[in-house]
Structure formats: structure tokens, C-alpha cells
Amino acid sequence: MPNPTSKLINVETHILSQQMLHPGASGDFTGLLNDIAFSCKIIAKEVSRAGLVDILGATDQVNIQGETVQKLDDYSNDVMLKFVGRRGQVCMLASEEMDDPVYMTSKNGSDKYIVVFDPLDGSSNIDANVSIGTIFSIYQRISRKGKPTEEDLLQPGRDLVAAGYVIYGSSTMLVYTTGAGVHGFTLDPTIGEFLLSHPDIKTPFDSGTYSVNEGRYNGWSPEIKEIVNSFKTGRAGKDLKGLGARYIGSLVADFHRNLLYGGIFMYPASESAPDGKLRLLYEAAPMAMIVENAGGYASTGYMPISDVIPEKLHQRIPLFIGSRNSVLWVEKQLTEKSKGI
Ligand code: AHG
Ligand code: MN
Ligand code: MN
């Protein structure tokens, strides 16, 4: 009888194995990913009991996005600030919930990584107990030493060294990539460990589902309206029959379902949101790295998300992401229409 625990691989062990793939990667990187996983375990505990303690609801603050800050947004941001980079390997932290980055300098640390994160994604769903998540991305600094520069922060997703998210849902799952496949871990609360449950995730090339907030329909361009209608009627490309519609309103939850089952998630530009709603640096770019490493694709509608060079921390960007064939089809439609084809 094989030992039932012989297959248990926790995320710390897996990250170490990933480190072996990157010659010259020091324990710094492994320690950083483990600090992020640790932070999300703490957030997961608070999320699971949010209804029991006075942490539901909104604060009286409005963030730089112009959105009311939820108490759990604040709490999650504080946890990330407290535990991520405490080993001196991080020189800068940037968050959806902070106007500007936080600089960290350590006497004997390597100061070589930058972490950009959305501490809690899908905040509007917290009080309704709908799945929410944390999104993180890791860059290496470009500047040599000292205070990091704007260039260190405004790097394209193509230069990410790692990206991942944790989804706080019916179970808590951590999904991450360092560029060598996408791997999923499910939190076993009885032992407090993220255990490998979804090794080497590959996303279907074709969609069965489209995800978009159709309430924004009137604000879309004619081209976007036609594309979404094509998904409904099955006119969308020869191999795209009519798709099912699924929309949760938490990017992490919509993305995770599409990653596993196949699907295309869209947050297009609209009259009220000319650059779309989602943020490039801490939502679109990390998700683009993950989906590309799972065989999918992420586009602005005209070019790869991963090639966009950010101009500012909280920059928004239209996002089409998921099954490769579906996203490429959308990009082809929009590009041809822009050329009058
Ligand atoms: P956040 O809670 O971090 O601000 O993100 C919310 C985002 C994203 O999670 C989701 O896809 C999108 O908002 C939903 O927007 P709509 O409610 O406009 O559909
Ligand atoms: Mn978000
Ligand atoms: Mn958020």
C-alpha cells in the first residue's frame, strides 16, 4: 500500500524545485514567493470569517481609483506590506490600494525584487460571499542599487519573473508561474499547507464560455457589440459555436474558471471607461503571464498585453484574455476593422 502522504507536495517544496530551473536564482526568490503564500494564508483566514468579525463592509476611505475601500481591502493590503519582502530581497512594493509605491531598503538584503499586487480583487463581492482573490506579480529591478526608479516599476509584463493569484472560494487555491508552466495548489486548512492539486495547468484553445458585463453594452463601440453578439449567435469564427455566458464580477474567479474549463474574459473600453476598467500592472499583466504559460493568450484587442509598457502605476487597459483561438479571433476582428477591412 503506497504511503498516502508520498504524493503531498507543498508550495514551498514546489517553489524550491522551480528555483532549480533558474540557475543563479538564489534562495531570495524562493523566500519571496513563500512570503506571498504565507500572507495569502493569513488573508484567507480573515476572508473565511469576515462575516463573524467586524471586517465586512466599507471604510470611510476612497482610494485612488475613486472606489470605496472595503475593510478587507485595507486588511489584505496591510498583511502584504507586513510580510512580503521582510527578508530584504524587495526594494519596492506597489498596490492597487496605495497611491504610490512603498520603498524598502535593507542593510544586508539583496533589494532586487519589485512586487506589484492587488491585495483583494473583487471587493464589491465580499459581503455577498462571492469568490474574491489576491493577484501578485514579481519583477527584478533594472537599476543597480539605491532608491528604485520609475523604470524599475513601469516594466512590461514580458519582463515578469513570476505571477500568480490566490482565489478565496469554495476552497482556497494558489496558482502561480515562474515561466515554467502554471501550477495550482489547494489549501488544506487542517495542516495550513498549500498542496499541489493542479500540476502544469493547460487551458483549452477554444472557449465554451464568454465572460463580459453586458450591462455595459450601450457604452461599447459597434465593433465590440458585434463581437459579443457573435459569441451569442455562434457567428464568431468557424470553430466558435454559440458560447455559454458566465460572469461573476471578480476577475480572479472569472479568470480561474476560464483557465480550467476554457473561455474568454473581456473588459472592453466603453464611453464611461475609455481605457477599460482593469489595471495593467496588477491585474492584466500578471494574468497575461499566467494564461500564456498555460497555452492561452491576453490582448488589449490590438496587441499582446505582455508587450504594453506601462506609463503609470494605476494605468487601466482593455482586456481580452483566455482561450487562445477566441482571443486571437477577437484581436483579428478588431484589427481588421481598424484597417477598414
Ligand atoms: P477590485 O475589486 O480589485 O477593484 O477589482 C474589481 C474588478 C475585477 O475584479 C472585476 O473583473 C471587475 O472589477 C468587475 O467590474 P464590473 O463590476 O464593472 O463588471
Ligand atoms: Mn482587482
Ligand atoms: Mn482590489
Side-chain angles (χ1 to χ4, degrees):
M1 168 74 172
N3 172 349
T5 60
S6 60
K7 283 278 173 233
L8 295 187
I9 299 173
N10 66 11
V11 69
E12 288 79 2
T13 306
H14 193 272
I15 291 169
L16 210 50
S17 69
Q18 294 279 301
Q19 178 184 305
M20 310 296 181
L21 300 174
H22 298 266
S26 66
D28 267 354
F29 181 66
T30 301
L32 173 54
L33 271 172
N34 285 331
D35 285 345
I36 292 171
F38 177 76
S39 303
C40 292
K41 284 183 199 173
I42 295 177
I43 294 169
K45 182 176 69 64
E46 212 59 21
V47 166
S48 66
R49 59 196 206 107
L52 301 173
V53 296
D54 178 26
I55 200 161
L56 278 180
T59 65
D60 53 4
Q61 303 158 50
V62 174
N63 64 16
I64 192 167
Q65 327 286 341
E67 295 159 347
T68 302
V69 178
Q70 302 295 322
K71 289 178 183 172
L72 217 44
D73 280 326
D74 248 1
Y75 173 81
S76 306
N77 195 59
D78 290 346
V79 168
M80 297 289 278
L81 291 178
K82 187 171 178 185
F83 295 109
V84 174
R86 57 186 166 164
R87 307 182 207 214
Q89 72 279 68
V90 172
C91 63
M92 176 164 43
L93 292 174
S95 163
E96 174 198 8
E97 298 305 334
M98 303 188 298
D99 297 3
D100 301 306
V102 166
Y103 300 102
M104 307 168 78
T105 45
S106 63
K107 283 187 282 302
N108 46 24
S110 65
D111 273 355
K112 70 180 178 181
Y113 293 111
I114 292 145
V115 182
V116 187
F117 57 93
D118 179 355
L120 208 70
D121 172 69
S123 310
S124 61
N125 286 313
I126 292 173
D127 294 6
N129 203 20
V130 171
S131 299
I132 50 183
T134 298
I135 307 171
F136 60 88
S137 51
I138 304 175
Y139 291 96
Q140 281 205 355
R141 70 183 297 166
I142 299 167
S143 59
R144 299 285 311 142
K145 287 298 278 178
K147 186 176 178 191
T149 64
E150 197 171 62
E151 190 193 13
D152 286 323
L153 176 66
L154 303 178
Q155 299 187 51
R158 197 68 68 199
D159 294 342
L160 280 164
V161 292
Y165 59 84
V166 174
I167 179 168
Y168 310 109
S170 47
S171 68
T172 296
M173 264 193 77
L174 182 148
V175 174
Y176 87 103
T177 183
T178 62
V182 177
H183 309 284
F185 301 78
T186 301
L187 182 65
D188 179 338
T190 63
I191 55 173
E193 292 282 2
F194 278 114
L195 299 178
L196 183 63
S197 53
H198 297 67
D200 200 17
I201 297 171
K202 292 298 175 203
T203 195
F205 284 127
D206 292 306
S207 302
T209 301
Y210 75 96
S211 310
V212 69
N213 182 340
E214 307 225 25
R216 313 276 181 225
Y217 184 87
N218 289 335
W220 292 338
S221 68
E223 295 78 13
I224 294 293
K225 288 178 181 174
E226 191 180 332
I227 282 168
V228 174
N229 288 334
S230 297
F231 282 137
K232 293 175 193 281
T233 59
R235 286 199 319 273
K238 61 178 175 17
D239 48 3
L240 283 176
K241 52 193 180 309
L243 302 184
R246 289 283 185 279
Y247 192 74
I248 298 170
S250 288
L251 172 62
V252 172
D254 281 313
F255 176 89
H256 185 70
R257 182 204 54 248
N258 291 347
L259 180 73
L260 298 183
Y261 298 170
I264 177 169
F265 173 91
M266 299 173 278
Y267 210 108
S270 65
E271 279 166 10
S272 59
D275 293 322
K277 172 181 183 181
L278 299 178
R279 280 60 53 124
L280 172 59
L281 264 169
Y282 40 81
E283 290 172 320
M287 294 315 216
M289 180 184 188
I290 295 166
V291 83
E292 287 177 357
N293 275 274
Y297 179 51
S299 173
T300 65
Y302 299 92
M303 66 179 284
I305 288 283
S306 296
D307 291 343
V308 179
I309 298 175
E311 292 166 10
K312 52 185 192 308
L313 169 55
H314 299 290
Q315 173 178 341
R316 299 179 192 268
I317 193 110
L319 177 63
F320 302 83
I321 188 168
S323 295
R324 169 167 292 277
N325 290 347
S326 308
V327 180
L328 285 171
W329 180 81
V330 169
E331 192 177 86
K332 181 169 177 288
Q333 301 302 310
L334 291 174
T335 309
E336 287 178 353
K337 286 180 173 44
S338 68
K339 292 174 187 164
I341 298 171

